[in-house]
mmCIF file of all heavy atoms in Angstrom:
data_model
loop_
_atom_site.group_PDB
_atom_site.id
_atom_site.type_symbol
_atom_site.label_atom_id
_atom_site.label_comp_id
_atom_site.label_asym_id
_atom_site.label_seq_id
_atom_site.Cartn_x
_atom_site.Cartn_y
_atom_site.Cartn_z
ATOM 1 N N VAL K 1 6.829 -13.365 12.165
ATOM 2 C CA VAL K 1 5.861 -14.237 11.318
ATOM 3 C C VAL K 1 4.445 -14.063 11.850
ATOM 4 O O VAL K 1 4.229 -14.218 12.997
ATOM 5 C CB VAL K 1 6.366 -15.780 11.355
ATOM 6 C CG1 VAL K 1 5.494 -16.525 10.574
ATOM 7 C CG2 VAL K 1 7.777 -15.816 10.915
ATOM 8 N N ALA K 2 3.608 -13.983 10.882
ATOM 9 C CA ALA K 2 2.095 -13.747 11.116
ATOM 10 C C ALA K 2 1.351 -14.988 10.884
ATOM 11 O O ALA K 2 1.635 -15.595 9.831
ATOM 12 C CB ALA K 2 1.532 -12.558 10.466
ATOM 13 N N SER K 3 0.359 -15.301 11.751
ATOM 14 C CA SER K 3 -0.530 -16.486 11.392
ATOM 15 C C SER K 3 -1.630 -15.893 10.420
ATOM 16 O O SER K 3 -1.968 -14.752 10.255
ATOM 17 C CB SER K 3 -1.057 -16.890 12.657
ATOM 18 O OG SER K 3 -1.948 -15.965 13.275
ATOM 19 N N GLY K 4 -2.502 -16.855 9.900
ATOM 20 C CA GLY K 4 -3.482 -16.479 9.091
ATOM 21 C C GLY K 4 -3.163 -16.216 7.690
ATOM 22 O O GLY K 4 -1.976 -16.281 7.256
ATOM 23 N N ASN K 5 -3.995 -15.666 6.899
ATOM 24 C CA ASN K 5 -3.884 -15.361 5.422
ATOM 25 C C ASN K 5 -4.123 -13.911 5.167
ATOM 26 O O ASN K 5 -4.375 -13.484 3.841
ATOM 27 C CB ASN K 5 -4.561 -16.306 4.620
ATOM 28 C CG ASN K 5 -6.011 -16.163 4.857
ATOM 29 O OD1 ASN K 5 -6.578 -15.436 5.684
ATOM 30 N ND2 ASN K 5 -6.826 -17.013 4.190
ATOM 31 N N MET K 6 -4.088 -13.037 6.201
ATOM 32 C CA MET K 6 -4.373 -11.648 5.905
ATOM 33 C C MET K 6 -3.176 -10.706 5.815
ATOM 34 O O MET K 6 -3.271 -9.448 5.561
ATOM 35 C CB MET K 6 -5.345 -11.097 7.027
ATOM 36 C CG MET K 6 -6.680 -11.840 7.165
ATOM 37 S SD MET K 6 -7.652 -11.679 5.617
ATOM 38 C CE MET K 6 -8.206 -9.898 5.836
ATOM 39 N N PHE K 7 -2.025 -11.208 6.221
ATOM 40 C CA PHE K 7 -0.752 -10.363 6.254
ATOM 41 C C PHE K 7 -0.602 -9.428 5.049
ATOM 42 O O PHE K 7 -0.327 -8.277 5.168
ATOM 43 C CB PHE K 7 0.402 -11.391 6.297
ATOM 44 C CG PHE K 7 1.684 -10.657 6.453
ATOM 45 C CD1 PHE K 7 2.153 -10.052 7.652
ATOM 46 C CD2 PHE K 7 2.520 -10.447 5.302
ATOM 47 C CE1 PHE K 7 3.429 -9.585 7.750
ATOM 48 C CE2 PHE K 7 3.794 -9.790 5.358
ATOM 49 C CZ PHE K 7 4.222 -9.319 6.594
ATOM 50 N N SER K 8 -0.829 -9.927 3.795
ATOM 51 C CA SER K 8 -0.481 -9.254 2.641
ATOM 52 C C SER K 8 -1.508 -8.007 2.429
ATOM 53 O O SER K 8 -1.238 -7.159 1.652
ATOM 54 C CB SER K 8 -0.593 -10.149 1.456
ATOM 55 O OG SER K 8 -1.843 -10.600 1.214
ATOM 56 N N MET K 9 -2.575 -8.012 3.293
ATOM 57 C CA MET K 9 -3.549 -7.003 3.098
ATOM 58 C C MET K 9 -3.367 -5.832 4.143
ATOM 59 O O MET K 9 -4.225 -5.058 4.157
ATOM 60 C CB MET K 9 -4.881 -7.597 3.222
ATOM 61 C CG MET K 9 -5.282 -8.556 2.155
ATOM 62 S SD MET K 9 -6.848 -9.325 2.268
ATOM 63 C CE MET K 9 -7.947 -7.915 1.946
ATOM 64 N N TYR K 10 -2.371 -5.952 4.910
ATOM 65 C CA TYR K 10 -2.285 -5.132 6.167
ATOM 66 C C TYR K 10 -0.989 -4.297 6.006
ATOM 67 O O TYR K 10 0.124 -4.706 5.628
ATOM 68 C CB TYR K 10 -2.086 -5.871 7.447
ATOM 69 C CG TYR K 10 -3.352 -6.664 7.860
ATOM 70 C CD1 TYR K 10 -3.200 -7.689 8.799
ATOM 71 C CD2 TYR K 10 -4.499 -6.113 7.536
ATOM 72 C CE1 TYR K 10 -4.430 -8.336 9.093
ATOM 73 C CE2 TYR K 10 -5.757 -6.846 7.962
ATOM 74 C CZ TYR K 10 -5.636 -7.820 8.785
ATOM 75 O OH TYR K 10 -6.785 -8.575 9.260
ATOM 76 N N THR K 11 -1.077 -2.966 6.552
ATOM 77 C CA THR K 11 0.095 -2.106 6.812
ATOM 78 C C THR K 11 0.625 -2.774 8.131
ATOM 79 O O THR K 11 -0.176 -3.008 8.981
ATOM 80 C CB THR K 11 -0.275 -0.761 6.991
ATOM 81 O OG1 THR K 11 -0.683 -0.156 5.667
ATOM 82 C CG2 THR K 11 0.896 0.010 7.606
ATOM 83 N N MET K 12 1.958 -3.031 8.118
ATOM 84 C CA MET K 12 2.675 -3.584 9.253
ATOM 85 C C MET K 12 3.536 -2.732 9.916
ATOM 86 O O MET K 12 4.126 -1.803 9.226
ATOM 87 C CB MET K 12 3.371 -4.970 8.912
ATOM 88 C CG MET K 12 2.456 -6.142 8.474
ATOM 89 S SD MET K 12 1.240 -6.632 9.784
ATOM 90 C CE MET K 12 2.451 -7.332 10.822
ATOM 91 N N VAL K 13 3.839 -2.821 11.183
ATOM 92 C CA VAL K 13 4.553 -1.936 12.035
ATOM 93 C C VAL K 13 5.379 -2.586 12.869
ATOM 94 O O VAL K 13 5.045 -3.694 13.502
ATOM 95 C CB VAL K 13 3.529 -1.003 12.811
ATOM 96 C CG1 VAL K 13 4.327 0.105 13.606
ATOM 97 C CG2 VAL K 13 2.501 -0.309 11.868
ATOM 98 N N TRP K 14 6.616 -2.121 13.049
ATOM 99 C CA TRP K 14 7.533 -2.474 14.284
ATOM 100 C C TRP K 14 7.471 -1.416 15.320
ATOM 101 O O TRP K 14 7.528 -0.214 14.935
ATOM 102 C CB TRP K 14 9.040 -2.560 13.626
ATOM 103 C CG TRP K 14 9.419 -3.749 12.924
ATOM 104 C CD1 TRP K 14 9.566 -3.986 11.739
ATOM 105 C CD2 TRP K 14 9.619 -5.199 13.486
ATOM 106 N NE1 TRP K 14 9.806 -5.380 11.327
ATOM 107 C CE2 TRP K 14 9.831 -5.901 12.460
ATOM 108 C CE3 TRP K 14 9.467 -5.609 14.895
ATOM 109 C CZ2 TRP K 14 10.289 -7.355 12.761
ATOM 110 C CZ3 TRP K 14 9.840 -6.874 15.141
ATOM 111 C CH2 TRP K 14 10.088 -7.890 13.932
ATOM 112 N N TYR K 15 7.323 -1.935 16.542
ATOM 113 C CA TYR K 15 7.285 -1.023 17.703
ATOM 114 C C TYR K 15 8.603 -1.518 18.437
ATOM 115 O O TYR K 15 9.042 -2.636 18.474
ATOM 116 C CB TYR K 15 6.091 -1.225 18.472
ATOM 117 C CG TYR K 15 4.776 -0.981 17.785
ATOM 118 C CD1 TYR K 15 4.157 -1.820 17.024
ATOM 119 C CD2 TYR K 15 4.178 0.392 17.825
ATOM 120 C CE1 TYR K 15 2.896 -1.622 16.359
ATOM 121 C CE2 TYR K 15 3.059 0.622 17.262
ATOM 122 C CZ TYR K 15 2.349 -0.289 16.437
ATOM 123 O OH TYR K 15 1.274 0.076 15.725
ATOM 124 N N ARG K 16 8.794 -0.750 19.459
ATOM 125 C CA ARG K 16 9.772 -1.065 20.559
ATOM 126 C C ARG K 16 9.239 -0.572 21.908
ATOM 127 O O ARG K 16 8.581 0.541 21.939
ATOM 128 C CB ARG K 16 11.165 -0.616 20.176
ATOM 129 C CG ARG K 16 11.479 0.831 20.332
ATOM 130 C CD ARG K 16 12.803 1.036 19.851
ATOM 131 N NE ARG K 16 13.303 2.422 20.066
ATOM 132 C CZ ARG K 16 14.414 2.926 19.546
ATOM 133 N NH1 ARG K 16 15.296 2.168 18.941
ATOM 134 N NH2 ARG K 16 14.744 4.256 19.795
ATOM 135 N N GLN K 17 9.768 -1.062 22.960
ATOM 136 C CA GLN K 17 9.344 -0.618 24.306
ATOM 137 C C GLN K 17 10.612 -0.732 25.111
ATOM 138 O O GLN K 17 11.153 -1.891 25.435
ATOM 139 C CB GLN K 17 8.289 -1.473 24.892
ATOM 140 C CG GLN K 17 7.585 -1.025 26.208
ATOM 141 C CD GLN K 17 6.432 -1.640 26.466
ATOM 142 O OE1 GLN K 17 5.956 -2.726 26.129
ATOM 143 N NE2 GLN K 17 5.670 -1.062 27.421
ATOM 144 N N HIS K 18 11.013 0.435 25.645
ATOM 145 C CA HIS K 18 12.152 0.530 26.606
ATOM 146 C C HIS K 18 11.595 0.110 27.882
ATOM 147 O O HIS K 18 10.290 0.454 28.288
ATOM 148 C CB HIS K 18 12.757 1.881 26.595
ATOM 149 C CG HIS K 18 13.432 2.246 25.321
ATOM 150 N ND1 HIS K 18 12.760 2.957 24.364
ATOM 151 C CD2 HIS K 18 14.722 2.183 24.891
ATOM 152 C CE1 HIS K 18 13.679 3.153 23.415
ATOM 153 N NE2 HIS K 18 14.764 2.747 23.750
ATOM 154 N N SER K 19 12.314 -0.347 28.881
ATOM 155 C CA SER K 19 11.928 -0.734 30.129
ATOM 156 C C SER K 19 11.258 0.522 30.870
ATOM 157 O O SER K 19 11.899 1.502 30.983
ATOM 158 C CB SER K 19 13.033 -1.308 31.023
ATOM 159 O OG SER K 19 12.661 -1.667 32.294
ATOM 160 N N GLY K 20 10.128 0.267 31.283
ATOM 161 C CA GLY K 20 9.274 1.346 32.113
ATOM 162 C C GLY K 20 8.735 2.411 31.319
ATOM 163 O O GLY K 20 8.253 3.479 31.846
ATOM 164 N N ARG K 21 8.747 2.158 29.870
ATOM 165 C CA ARG K 21 8.309 3.322 29.004
ATOM 166 C C ARG K 21 7.162 2.739 28.110
ATOM 167 O O ARG K 21 7.120 1.599 27.966
ATOM 168 C CB ARG K 21 9.414 3.991 28.233
ATOM 169 C CG ARG K 21 10.405 4.750 29.166
ATOM 170 C CD ARG K 21 11.590 5.049 28.433
ATOM 171 N NE ARG K 21 11.502 5.782 27.190
ATOM 172 C CZ ARG K 21 12.511 6.245 26.446
ATOM 173 N NH1 ARG K 21 13.753 5.971 26.795
ATOM 174 N NH2 ARG K 21 12.289 6.837 25.296
ATOM 175 N N GLN K 22 6.443 3.604 27.415
ATOM 176 C CA GLN K 22 5.417 3.310 26.661
ATOM 177 C C GLN K 22 5.979 2.676 25.215
ATOM 178 O O GLN K 22 7.100 3.039 24.904
ATOM 179 C CB GLN K 22 4.424 4.347 26.316
ATOM 180 C CG GLN K 22 3.574 4.735 27.476
ATOM 181 C CD GLN K 22 2.448 5.770 27.070
ATOM 182 O OE1 GLN K 22 2.536 6.523 26.090
ATOM 183 N NE2 GLN K 22 1.327 5.582 27.629
ATOM 184 N N ARG K 23 5.186 1.775 24.537
ATOM 185 C CA ARG K 23 5.603 1.309 23.291
ATOM 186 C C ARG K 23 5.671 2.380 22.366
ATOM 187 O O ARG K 23 4.782 3.335 22.408
ATOM 188 C CB ARG K 23 4.597 0.268 22.886
ATOM 189 C CG ARG K 23 5.069 -0.776 21.799
ATOM 190 C CD ARG K 23 4.128 -1.964 21.789
ATOM 191 N NE ARG K 23 4.161 -2.746 22.914
ATOM 192 C CZ ARG K 23 3.201 -3.688 23.191
ATOM 193 N NH1 ARG K 23 2.256 -3.901 22.442
ATOM 194 N NH2 ARG K 23 3.338 -4.474 24.330
ATOM 195 N N GLU K 24 6.653 2.385 21.487
ATOM 196 C CA GLU K 24 6.666 3.553 20.465
ATOM 197 C C GLU K 24 6.907 2.961 18.981
ATOM 198 O O GLU K 24 7.491 1.929 18.934
ATOM 199 C CB GLU K 24 7.831 4.413 20.734
ATOM 200 C CG GLU K 24 9.228 3.799 20.836
ATOM 201 C CD GLU K 24 10.395 4.756 21.211
ATOM 202 O OE1 GLU K 24 10.071 6.023 21.495
ATOM 203 O OE2 GLU K 24 11.424 4.235 21.261
ATOM 204 N N LEU K 25 6.425 3.667 17.936
ATOM 205 C CA LEU K 25 6.646 3.127 16.624
ATOM 206 C C LEU K 25 7.869 3.359 16.151
ATOM 207 O O LEU K 25 8.541 4.400 16.341
ATOM 208 C CB LEU K 25 5.621 3.922 15.888
ATOM 209 C CG LEU K 25 5.401 3.518 14.307
ATOM 210 C CD1 LEU K 25 4.000 3.668 13.832
ATOM 211 C CD2 LEU K 25 6.400 4.127 13.325
ATOM 212 N N VAL K 26 8.426 2.329 15.505
ATOM 213 C CA VAL K 26 9.789 2.329 14.982
ATOM 214 C C VAL K 26 9.744 2.541 13.466
ATOM 215 O O VAL K 26 10.394 3.449 12.853
ATOM 216 C CB VAL K 26 10.556 1.049 15.323
ATOM 217 C CG1 VAL K 26 12.008 1.036 14.497
ATOM 218 C CG2 VAL K 26 10.830 0.910 16.817
ATOM 219 N N ALA K 27 9.016 1.695 12.697
ATOM 220 C CA ALA K 27 8.848 1.829 11.350
ATOM 221 C C ALA K 27 7.620 1.065 10.795
ATOM 222 O O ALA K 27 7.061 0.152 11.578
ATOM 223 C CB ALA K 27 9.964 1.107 10.742
ATOM 224 N N SER K 28 7.072 1.506 9.682
ATOM 225 C CA SER K 28 5.859 0.824 9.131
ATOM 226 C C SER K 28 6.178 0.653 7.648
ATOM 227 O O SER K 28 6.850 1.336 6.963
ATOM 228 C CB SER K 28 4.673 1.676 9.370
ATOM 229 O OG SER K 28 4.695 2.973 8.741
ATOM 230 N N ILE K 29 5.336 -0.227 7.108
ATOM 231 C CA ILE K 29 5.362 -0.726 5.585
ATOM 232 C C ILE K 29 3.815 -0.855 5.158
ATOM 233 O O ILE K 29 3.252 -1.774 5.838
ATOM 234 C CB ILE K 29 6.353 -1.660 5.318
ATOM 235 C CG1 ILE K 29 6.475 -1.853 3.804
ATOM 236 C CG2 ILE K 29 5.996 -2.941 6.131
ATOM 237 C CD1 ILE K 29 7.626 -2.763 3.422
ATOM 238 N N THR K 30 3.512 -0.232 4.115
ATOM 239 C CA THR K 30 2.220 -0.425 3.603
ATOM 240 C C THR K 30 2.043 -1.653 2.715
ATOM 241 O O THR K 30 3.244 -2.319 2.424
ATOM 242 C CB THR K 30 1.645 0.771 2.795
ATOM 243 O OG1 THR K 30 2.443 0.850 1.530
ATOM 244 C CG2 THR K 30 1.802 1.956 3.506
ATOM 245 N N ILE K 31 0.986 -2.066 2.234
ATOM 246 C CA ILE K 31 0.874 -3.205 1.353
ATOM 247 C C ILE K 31 1.490 -2.927 0.040
ATOM 248 O O ILE K 31 1.909 -3.886 -0.683
ATOM 249 C CB ILE K 31 -0.621 -3.660 1.165
ATOM 250 C CG1 ILE K 31 -1.486 -2.460 0.502
ATOM 251 C CG2 ILE K 31 -1.316 -4.036 2.405
ATOM 252 C CD1 ILE K 31 -2.798 -2.880 0.166
ATOM 253 N N GLY K 32 1.690 -1.721 -0.348
ATOM 254 C CA GLY K 32 2.310 -1.416 -1.560
ATOM 255 C C GLY K 32 3.780 -1.131 -1.417
ATOM 256 O O GLY K 32 4.569 -0.901 -2.370
ATOM 257 N N GLY K 33 4.358 -1.182 -0.186
ATOM 258 C CA GLY K 33 5.708 -1.091 0.174
ATOM 259 C C GLY K 33 6.298 0.158 0.500
ATOM 260 O O GLY K 33 7.500 0.414 0.537
ATOM 261 N N THR K 34 5.326 1.191 0.619
ATOM 262 C CA THR K 34 5.763 2.438 1.192
ATOM 263 C C THR K 34 6.164 2.378 2.618
ATOM 264 O O THR K 34 5.412 1.812 3.326
ATOM 265 C CB THR K 34 4.581 3.450 0.995
ATOM 266 O OG1 THR K 34 4.188 3.640 -0.359
ATOM 267 C CG2 THR K 34 5.010 4.893 1.557
ATOM 268 N N THR K 35 7.281 2.929 2.930
ATOM 269 C CA THR K 35 7.811 2.746 4.263
ATOM 270 C C THR K 35 7.785 4.137 5.047
ATOM 271 O O THR K 35 7.830 5.245 4.387
ATOM 272 C CB THR K 35 9.255 2.239 4.245
ATOM 273 O OG1 THR K 35 10.012 3.188 3.425
ATOM 274 C CG2 THR K 35 9.218 0.882 3.643
ATOM 275 N N HIS K 36 7.834 4.110 6.308
ATOM 276 C CA HIS K 36 7.872 5.380 7.207
ATOM 277 C C HIS K 36 8.764 4.912 8.435
ATOM 278 O O HIS K 36 8.657 3.737 8.837
ATOM 279 C CB HIS K 36 6.497 5.665 7.668
ATOM 280 C CG HIS K 36 6.607 6.697 8.723
ATOM 281 N ND1 HIS K 36 6.756 8.044 8.493
ATOM 282 C CD2 HIS K 36 6.395 6.456 10.002
ATOM 283 C CE1 HIS K 36 6.857 8.577 9.693
ATOM 284 N NE2 HIS K 36 6.613 7.711 10.709
ATOM 285 N N TYR K 37 9.585 5.847 8.802
ATOM 286 C CA TYR K 37 10.504 5.506 9.913
ATOM 287 C C TYR K 37 10.435 6.623 10.908
ATOM 288 O O TYR K 37 10.342 7.844 10.676
ATOM 289 C CB TYR K 37 11.964 5.547 9.382
ATOM 290 C CG TYR K 37 12.229 4.365 8.434
ATOM 291 C CD1 TYR K 37 12.095 4.449 7.018
ATOM 292 C CD2 TYR K 37 12.411 3.057 8.955
ATOM 293 C CE1 TYR K 37 12.299 3.500 6.274
ATOM 294 C CE2 TYR K 37 12.716 1.969 8.061
ATOM 295 C CZ TYR K 37 12.549 2.224 6.733
ATOM 296 O OH TYR K 37 12.773 1.216 5.879
#
């Protein structure tokens, strides 16, 4: 859940971080609903 009122204008991303490793991109979704995995 995001605060503010800008959420609908942003491409949003899920990341994950394994212990001791860098954060990595898992999936993204554009304002138009285009997804990437």
Side-chain angles (χ1 to χ4, degrees):
V1 179
S3 68
N5 59 3
M6 300 297 289
F7 179 86
S8 64
M9 300 178 65
Y10 289 155
T11 291
M12 293 297 296
V13 183
W14 280 104
Y15 300 88
R16 71 185 187 187
Q17 187 168 20
H18 296 91
S19 180
R21 293 166 55 179
Q22 287 190 327
R23 201 168 290 169
E24 61 185 1
L25 187 147
V26 175
S28 65
I29 184 167
T30 69
I31 58 175
T34 299
T35 57
H36 167 79
Y37 298 94

